[in-house]
Short mmCIF file of all heavy atoms in Angstrom, two decimals:
data_model
loop_
_atom_site.label_atom_id
_atom_site.label_comp_id
_atom_site.label_asym_id
_atom_site.label_seq_id
_atom_site.Cartn_x
_atom_site.Cartn_y
_atom_site.Cartn_z
N GLU A 25 0.81 -1.21 0.00
CA GLU A 25 0.00 0.00 0.00
C GLU A 25 0.85 1.26 0.00
O GLU A 25 0.53 2.24 -0.66
CB GLU A 25 -0.94 0.02 1.21
CG GLU A 25 -1.91 1.21 1.19
CD GLU A 25 -2.96 1.13 2.28
OE1 GLU A 25 -2.94 0.17 3.05
OE2 GLU A 25 -3.79 2.05 2.36
N TYR A 26 1.95 1.24 0.75
CA TYR A 26 2.84 2.40 0.83
C TYR A 26 4.23 2.01 0.40
O TYR A 26 4.70 0.90 0.69
CB TYR A 26 2.85 3.00 2.24
CG TYR A 26 1.66 3.87 2.51
CD1 TYR A 26 0.41 3.31 2.75
CD2 TYR A 26 1.76 5.26 2.50
CE1 TYR A 26 -0.70 4.10 2.98
CE2 TYR A 26 0.66 6.06 2.74
CZ TYR A 26 -0.57 5.47 2.97
OH TYR A 26 -1.66 6.26 3.19
N THR A 27 4.90 2.93 -0.26
CA THR A 27 6.23 2.68 -0.82
C THR A 27 7.16 3.83 -0.47
O THR A 27 6.73 4.98 -0.36
CB THR A 27 6.13 2.56 -2.36
OG1 THR A 27 5.18 1.53 -2.68
CG2 THR A 27 7.48 2.21 -2.97
N SER A 28 8.43 3.50 -0.26
CA SER A 28 9.43 4.52 0.02
C SER A 28 9.81 5.24 -1.27
O SER A 28 10.24 4.62 -2.24
CB SER A 28 10.68 3.88 0.64
OG SER A 28 11.67 4.85 0.88
N VAL A 29 9.62 6.56 -1.27
CA VAL A 29 9.98 7.39 -2.41
C VAL A 29 10.78 8.58 -1.89
O VAL A 29 10.26 9.41 -1.15
CB VAL A 29 8.73 7.89 -3.17
CG1 VAL A 29 9.14 8.82 -4.31
CG2 VAL A 29 7.92 6.72 -3.71
N GLY A 30 12.05 8.64 -2.24
CA GLY A 30 12.89 9.74 -1.80
C GLY A 30 13.02 9.84 -0.29
O GLY A 30 13.11 10.93 0.26
N GLY A 31 13.03 8.68 0.39
CA GLY A 31 13.18 8.68 1.84
C GLY A 31 11.90 8.92 2.60
O GLY A 31 11.90 8.99 3.83
N ARG A 32 10.76 9.03 1.88
CA ARG A 32 9.45 9.21 2.53
C ARG A 32 8.52 8.11 2.07
O ARG A 32 8.68 7.55 0.98
CB ARG A 32 8.85 10.57 2.16
CG ARG A 32 9.64 11.76 2.63
CD ARG A 32 8.94 13.05 2.23
NE ARG A 32 7.59 13.10 2.76
CZ ARG A 32 6.64 13.94 2.32
NH1 ARG A 32 6.90 14.78 1.32
NH2 ARG A 32 5.45 13.93 2.86
N TYR A 33 7.52 7.80 2.90
CA TYR A 33 6.58 6.74 2.57
C TYR A 33 5.29 7.35 2.06
O TYR A 33 4.64 8.14 2.75
CB TYR A 33 6.36 5.84 3.78
CG TYR A 33 7.64 5.17 4.16
CD1 TYR A 33 8.40 5.62 5.24
CD2 TYR A 33 8.16 4.15 3.39
CE1 TYR A 33 9.61 5.04 5.55
CE2 TYR A 33 9.38 3.57 3.68
CZ TYR A 33 10.10 4.02 4.77
OH TYR A 33 11.31 3.45 5.07
N VAL A 34 4.95 7.00 0.81
CA VAL A 34 3.79 7.59 0.16
C VAL A 34 2.81 6.49 -0.22
O VAL A 34 3.19 5.32 -0.40
CB VAL A 34 4.20 8.38 -1.09
CG1 VAL A 34 5.13 9.52 -0.72
CG2 VAL A 34 4.86 7.46 -2.13
N GLU A 35 1.54 6.86 -0.37
CA GLU A 35 0.52 5.90 -0.75
C GLU A 35 0.70 5.54 -2.22
O GLU A 35 0.44 6.34 -3.11
CB GLU A 35 -0.88 6.48 -0.51
CG GLU A 35 -1.98 5.45 -0.67
CD GLU A 35 -3.31 5.97 -0.22
OE1 GLU A 35 -3.38 7.14 0.20
OE2 GLU A 35 -4.29 5.20 -0.29
N GLN A 36 1.16 4.32 -2.45
CA GLN A 36 1.46 3.88 -3.81
C GLN A 36 1.36 2.36 -3.84
O GLN A 36 2.31 1.66 -3.53
CB GLN A 36 2.85 4.36 -4.23
CG GLN A 36 3.23 4.01 -5.66
CD GLN A 36 4.56 4.61 -6.05
OE1 GLN A 36 4.76 5.82 -5.96
NE2 GLN A 36 5.49 3.77 -6.49
N SER A 37 0.19 1.88 -4.20
CA SER A 37 -0.05 0.44 -4.22
C SER A 37 0.63 -0.20 -5.41
O SER A 37 0.61 0.34 -6.52
CB SER A 37 -1.55 0.16 -4.26
OG SER A 37 -1.80 -1.22 -4.24
N GLN A 38 1.22 -1.37 -5.17
CA GLN A 38 1.84 -2.11 -6.26
C GLN A 38 1.92 -3.59 -5.88
O GLN A 38 1.89 -3.94 -4.70
CB GLN A 38 3.24 -1.56 -6.55
CG GLN A 38 4.18 -1.59 -5.38
CD GLN A 38 5.51 -0.91 -5.69
OE1 GLN A 38 5.70 -0.32 -6.74
NE2 GLN A 38 6.45 -1.01 -4.77
N PRO A 39 1.99 -4.46 -6.88
CA PRO A 39 2.09 -5.90 -6.58
C PRO A 39 3.37 -6.22 -5.82
O PRO A 39 4.38 -5.52 -5.97
CB PRO A 39 2.08 -6.55 -7.97
CG PRO A 39 1.50 -5.53 -8.88
CD PRO A 39 1.93 -4.20 -8.32
N GLN A 40 3.31 -7.26 -5.00
CA GLN A 40 4.51 -7.75 -4.34
C GLN A 40 4.50 -9.27 -4.35
O GLN A 40 3.45 -9.90 -4.45
CB GLN A 40 4.60 -7.24 -2.90
CG GLN A 40 3.62 -7.88 -1.95
CD GLN A 40 3.90 -7.55 -0.49
OE1 GLN A 40 4.81 -6.80 -0.17
NE2 GLN A 40 3.12 -8.11 0.41
N THR A 41 5.68 -9.86 -4.25
CA THR A 41 5.75 -11.32 -4.18
C THR A 41 5.23 -11.80 -2.83
O THR A 41 5.20 -11.06 -1.86
CB THR A 41 7.20 -11.79 -4.37
OG1 THR A 41 8.03 -11.18 -3.37
CG2 THR A 41 7.72 -11.43 -5.75
N LEU A 42 4.84 -13.05 -2.80
CA LEU A 42 4.30 -13.63 -1.57
C LEU A 42 5.38 -13.71 -0.50
O LEU A 42 6.51 -14.13 -0.77
CB LEU A 42 3.74 -15.02 -1.87
CG LEU A 42 2.99 -15.71 -0.74
CD1 LEU A 42 1.81 -16.50 -1.30
CD2 LEU A 42 3.91 -16.65 0.04
N ARG A 43 5.04 -13.29 0.71
CA ARG A 43 5.99 -13.30 1.82
C ARG A 43 5.39 -14.04 3.01
O ARG A 43 4.23 -13.83 3.37
CB ARG A 43 6.32 -11.86 2.26
CG ARG A 43 6.96 -11.04 1.16
CD ARG A 43 7.22 -9.63 1.62
NE ARG A 43 7.77 -8.80 0.54
CZ ARG A 43 8.09 -7.53 0.68
NH1 ARG A 43 7.93 -6.93 1.85
NH2 ARG A 43 8.57 -6.85 -0.33
N ARG A 44 6.19 -14.91 3.59
CA ARG A 44 5.76 -15.60 4.81
C ARG A 44 6.98 -16.23 5.48
O ARG A 44 8.07 -16.25 4.92
CB ARG A 44 4.70 -16.67 4.49
CG ARG A 44 5.25 -17.91 3.82
CD ARG A 44 4.17 -18.95 3.60
NE ARG A 44 4.75 -20.22 3.18
CZ ARG A 44 4.15 -21.09 2.39
NH1 ARG A 44 2.95 -20.83 1.92
NH2 ARG A 44 4.75 -22.23 2.07
N TRP A 45 6.75 -16.72 6.68
CA TRP A 45 7.82 -17.38 7.44
C TRP A 45 7.96 -18.84 6.98
O TRP A 45 6.97 -19.50 6.67
CB TRP A 45 7.50 -17.38 8.93
CG TRP A 45 7.46 -16.02 9.55
CD1 TRP A 45 6.48 -15.09 9.43
CD2 TRP A 45 8.45 -15.45 10.41
NE1 TRP A 45 6.79 -13.96 10.15
CE2 TRP A 45 7.99 -14.16 10.78
CE3 TRP A 45 9.66 -15.89 10.92
CZ2 TRP A 45 8.70 -13.32 11.63
CZ3 TRP A 45 10.38 -15.07 11.77
CH2 TRP A 45 9.90 -13.80 12.11
N THR A 46 9.20 -19.32 6.97
CA THR A 46 9.45 -20.75 6.79
C THR A 46 10.03 -21.35 8.08
O THR A 46 9.81 -22.52 8.38
CB THR A 46 10.41 -21.00 5.61
OG1 THR A 46 11.62 -20.26 5.80
CG2 THR A 46 9.75 -20.60 4.30
N ALA A 47 10.77 -20.55 8.83
CA ALA A 47 11.29 -21.00 10.13
C ALA A 47 10.20 -20.90 11.19
O ALA A 47 9.23 -20.14 11.03
CB ALA A 47 12.49 -20.14 10.53
N PRO A 48 10.31 -21.65 12.28
CA PRO A 48 9.37 -21.47 13.38
C PRO A 48 9.36 -20.03 13.87
O PRO A 48 10.42 -19.38 13.93
CB PRO A 48 9.91 -22.43 14.46
CG PRO A 48 10.68 -23.46 13.70
CD PRO A 48 11.30 -22.71 12.54
N VAL A 49 8.19 -19.53 14.21
CA VAL A 49 8.05 -18.15 14.69
C VAL A 49 8.04 -18.18 16.21
O VAL A 49 7.17 -18.82 16.82
CB VAL A 49 6.76 -17.50 14.16
CG1 VAL A 49 6.66 -16.05 14.63
CG2 VAL A 49 6.71 -17.58 12.63
N ARG A 50 9.00 -17.51 16.81
CA ARG A 50 9.11 -17.45 18.26
C ARG A 50 8.92 -16.00 18.69
O ARG A 50 9.75 -15.13 18.38
CB ARG A 50 10.47 -17.99 18.72
CG ARG A 50 10.67 -19.46 18.34
CD ARG A 50 9.70 -20.37 19.08
NE ARG A 50 9.80 -21.78 18.68
CZ ARG A 50 8.94 -22.39 17.89
NH1 ARG A 50 7.91 -21.71 17.41
NH2 ARG A 50 9.08 -23.65 17.58
N ILE A 51 7.84 -15.74 19.41
CA ILE A 51 7.43 -14.37 19.73
C ILE A 51 7.75 -14.06 21.19
O ILE A 51 7.33 -14.79 22.09
CB ILE A 51 5.92 -14.17 19.47
CG1 ILE A 51 5.57 -14.58 18.03
CG2 ILE A 51 5.52 -12.73 19.73
CD1 ILE A 51 4.10 -14.54 17.72
N LYS A 52 8.47 -12.97 21.39
CA LYS A 52 8.83 -12.55 22.74
C LYS A 52 8.18 -11.20 23.04
O LYS A 52 8.23 -10.28 22.23
CB LYS A 52 10.34 -12.43 22.90
CG LYS A 52 10.79 -12.10 24.32
CD LYS A 52 12.31 -12.09 24.44
CE LYS A 52 12.75 -11.81 25.87
NZ LYS A 52 14.22 -11.79 25.99
N LEU A 53 7.58 -11.08 24.21
CA LEU A 53 6.87 -9.88 24.63
C LEU A 53 7.68 -9.15 25.70
O LEU A 53 8.07 -9.74 26.71
CB LEU A 53 5.49 -10.27 25.18
CG LEU A 53 4.56 -9.17 25.67
CD1 LEU A 53 4.27 -8.15 24.58
CD2 LEU A 53 3.26 -9.79 26.19
N ASP A 54 7.95 -7.86 25.46
CA ASP A 54 8.68 -7.03 26.42
C ASP A 54 7.90 -5.74 26.67
O ASP A 54 7.14 -5.28 25.82
CB ASP A 54 10.07 -6.69 25.89
CG ASP A 54 11.01 -7.89 25.94
OD1 ASP A 54 11.31 -8.36 27.05
OD2 ASP A 54 11.44 -8.35 24.86
N PHE A 55 8.12 -5.15 27.86
CA PHE A 55 7.34 -4.00 28.29
C PHE A 55 8.25 -2.84 28.71
O PHE A 55 9.35 -3.05 29.21
CB PHE A 55 6.46 -4.36 29.49
CG PHE A 55 5.48 -5.47 29.22
CD1 PHE A 55 5.80 -6.79 29.50
CD2 PHE A 55 4.23 -5.19 28.69
CE1 PHE A 55 4.90 -7.81 29.26
CE2 PHE A 55 3.33 -6.20 28.45
CZ PHE A 55 3.66 -7.51 28.73
N GLY A 56 7.73 -1.64 28.53
CA GLY A 56 8.37 -0.47 29.08
C GLY A 56 8.15 -0.39 30.58
O GLY A 56 7.32 -1.11 31.15
N ASP A 57 8.89 0.50 31.23
CA ASP A 57 8.87 0.58 32.69
C ASP A 57 7.56 1.13 33.26
O ASP A 57 7.30 0.98 34.46
CB ASP A 57 10.03 1.45 33.18
CG ASP A 57 11.38 0.78 32.96
OD1 ASP A 57 11.41 -0.46 32.85
OD2 ASP A 57 12.39 1.51 32.88
N THR A 58 6.75 1.79 32.45
CA THR A 58 5.51 2.36 32.98
C THR A 58 4.34 1.39 32.96
O THR A 58 3.28 1.70 33.48
CB THR A 58 5.10 3.62 32.18
OG1 THR A 58 4.83 3.24 30.84
CG2 THR A 58 6.19 4.68 32.24
N VAL A 59 4.52 0.22 32.35
CA VAL A 59 3.40 -0.72 32.21
C VAL A 59 3.14 -1.43 33.54
O VAL A 59 4.06 -1.99 34.15
CB VAL A 59 3.69 -1.75 31.10
CG1 VAL A 59 2.51 -2.70 30.93
CG2 VAL A 59 3.98 -1.03 29.78
N SER A 60 1.90 -1.40 33.98
CA SER A 60 1.54 -2.00 35.26
C SER A 60 1.58 -3.53 35.18
O SER A 60 1.49 -4.12 34.10
CB SER A 60 0.14 -1.56 35.67
OG SER A 60 -0.84 -2.16 34.84
N GLU A 61 1.68 -4.17 36.34
CA GLU A 61 1.69 -5.63 36.39
C GLU A 61 0.38 -6.20 35.87
O GLU A 61 0.35 -7.25 35.22
CB GLU A 61 1.96 -6.11 37.81
CG GLU A 61 3.38 -5.81 38.31
CD GLU A 61 4.44 -6.42 37.40
OE1 GLU A 61 4.27 -7.58 36.96
OE2 GLU A 61 5.45 -5.73 37.12
N ALA A 62 -0.73 -5.52 36.15
CA ALA A 62 -2.05 -5.99 35.66
C ALA A 62 -2.09 -5.96 34.13
O ALA A 62 -2.59 -6.89 33.49
CB ALA A 62 -3.17 -5.14 36.25
N ASP A 63 -1.56 -4.89 33.55
CA ASP A 63 -1.54 -4.79 32.09
C ASP A 63 -0.61 -5.83 31.48
O ASP A 63 -0.89 -6.41 30.43
CB ASP A 63 -1.11 -3.39 31.66
CG ASP A 63 -2.21 -2.36 31.84
OD1 ASP A 63 -3.37 -2.76 32.03
OD2 ASP A 63 -1.90 -1.15 31.82
N LYS A 64 0.52 -6.07 32.14
CA LYS A 64 1.44 -7.09 31.65
C LYS A 64 0.77 -8.46 31.64
O LYS A 64 0.89 -9.21 30.67
CB LYS A 64 2.70 -7.14 32.52
CG LYS A 64 3.63 -5.95 32.38
CD LYS A 64 4.83 -6.11 33.31
CE LYS A 64 5.75 -4.90 33.24
NZ LYS A 64 6.90 -5.03 34.18
N ALA A 65 0.06 -8.78 32.71
CA ALA A 65 -0.61 -10.08 32.80
C ALA A 65 -1.66 -10.23 31.71
O ALA A 65 -1.78 -11.29 31.08
CB ALA A 65 -1.23 -10.25 34.18
N ARG A 66 -2.43 -9.16 31.46
CA ARG A 66 -3.45 -9.21 30.42
C ARG A 66 -2.82 -9.39 29.05
O ARG A 66 -3.29 -10.19 28.23
CB ARG A 66 -4.31 -7.96 30.45
CG ARG A 66 -5.48 -8.00 29.45
CD ARG A 66 -6.32 -6.74 29.47
NE ARG A 66 -5.53 -5.58 29.11
CZ ARG A 66 -5.32 -4.53 29.89
NH1 ARG A 66 -5.86 -4.49 31.11
NH2 ARG A 66 -4.59 -3.51 29.49
N ASP A 67 -1.73 -8.66 28.78
CA ASP A 67 -1.09 -8.76 27.47
C ASP A 67 -0.46 -10.14 27.26
O ASP A 67 -0.48 -10.69 26.15
CB ASP A 67 -0.02 -7.68 27.33
CG ASP A 67 -0.62 -6.28 27.19
OD1 ASP A 67 -1.83 -6.18 26.92
OD2 ASP A 67 0.13 -5.29 27.36
N ARG A 68 0.11 -10.71 28.32
CA ARG A 68 0.68 -12.05 28.18
C ARG A 68 -0.42 -13.07 27.89
O ARG A 68 -0.24 -14.00 27.07
CB ARG A 68 1.43 -12.44 29.46
CG ARG A 68 2.74 -11.66 29.65
CD ARG A 68 3.58 -12.26 30.76
NE ARG A 68 4.81 -11.51 30.97
CZ ARG A 68 5.02 -10.70 32.00
NH1 ARG A 68 4.08 -10.55 32.93
NH2 ARG A 68 6.16 -10.04 32.11
N SER A 69 -1.56 -12.91 28.53
CA SER A 69 -2.69 -13.81 28.26
C SER A 69 -3.17 -13.64 26.82
O SER A 69 -3.47 -14.63 26.13
CB SER A 69 -3.83 -13.51 29.24
OG SER A 69 -4.97 -14.30 28.95
N THR A 70 -3.24 -12.39 26.35
CA THR A 70 -3.63 -12.12 24.97
C THR A 70 -2.69 -12.82 24.00
O THR A 70 -3.13 -13.49 23.06
CB THR A 70 -3.61 -10.60 24.69
OG1 THR A 70 -4.67 -9.98 25.43
CG2 THR A 70 -3.79 -10.31 23.21
N LEU A 71 -1.39 -12.67 24.22
CA LEU A 71 -0.42 -13.25 23.31
C LEU A 71 -0.49 -14.78 23.34
O LEU A 71 -0.42 -15.43 22.28
CB LEU A 71 0.99 -12.78 23.66
CG LEU A 71 2.10 -13.30 22.74
CD1 LEU A 71 1.85 -12.88 21.30
CD2 LEU A 71 3.47 -12.81 23.21
N GLY A 72 -0.66 -15.36 24.52
CA GLY A 72 -0.75 -16.81 24.61
C GLY A 72 -1.93 -17.36 23.81
O GLY A 72 -1.78 -18.34 23.05
#
């Protein structure tokens, strides 16, 4: 949908080749220091 043109990203749709993972996907969740323990627990449950 968007393409880099002159160092900026502009709305310019164009075909692309198919992209996907072939290796196992291992997702790690990290938080900033302001995130509460309750929010961390909810986000970990969401990700699981």
Side-chain angles (χ1 to χ4, degrees):
E25 185 172 0
Y26 280 76
T27 304
S28 178
V29 177
R32 296 181 58 196
Y33 297 102
V34 299
E35 190 171 1
Q36 183 175 304
S37 181
Q38 58 185 6
Q40 72 169 3
T41 57
L42 187 143
R43 299 178 183 181
R44 74 177 190 211
W45 295 75
T46 55
V49 182
R50 298 294 176 256
I51 306 175
K52 185 177 182 180
L53 181 58
D54 287 296
F55 300 93
D57 291 337
T58 63
V59 181
S60 71
E61 292 303 318
D63 284 345
K64 289 179 183 178
R66 185 181 61 241
D67 289 345
R68 289 192 181 106
S69 177
T70 291
L71 182 59

